[in-house]
Amino acid sequence: MPIVIQLDVMLALRKVKSKDLAVAIGITEANLSLLKQGKVKGIRLATLDAICDYLDCQPGDLLVREAQIA
C-alpha cells in the first residue's frame, strides 16, 4: 500500500494510549487497531479530523505516501 498510516508514531510522540484516543473520538479500540495497522481501505474525514484534533496534528503527520518502485 503506497499510503502508510503513522498513527502509532504520533500516539507515542504525544504519549497517548490507543484506548484513550478511541474513547475520545468515539470509535472502538478494535477499529483503531485496524487503522494503526493499515488494514483499512479508507478513513472517514470526520474520523481523521477528530484524530488530528485530539492529537493536535495535521493529516500529513499521520498519512505518508511511500515511493513506488517501478
Side-chain angles (χ1 to χ4, degrees):
M1 174 190 272
I3 303 293
V4 177
I5 301 170
Q6 295 188 324
L7 182 56
D8 53 345
V9 173
M10 190 56 64
L11 286 170
L13 288 173
R14 298 292 193 255
K15 296 181 179 152
V16 173
K17 293 181 182 178
S18 294
K19 180 178 181 178
D20 296 336
L21 176 62
V23 169
I25 65 173
I27 65 172
T28 65
E29 289 182 63
N31 283 340
L32 186 61
S33 178
L34 290 172
L35 182 61
K36 284 174 44 179
Q37 296 173 36
K39 293 186 178 182
V40 295
K41 294 193 181 241
I43 181 172
R44 292 180 185 266
L45 292 178
T47 303
L48 182 59
D49 183 52
I51 292 170
C52 289
D53 187 49
Y54 188 81
L55 296 177
D56 190 30
C57 66
Q58 294 294 315
D61 297 328
L62 301 172
L63 306 173
V64 178
R65 184 170 185 259
E66 286 187 338
Q68 293 179 329
I69 300 173

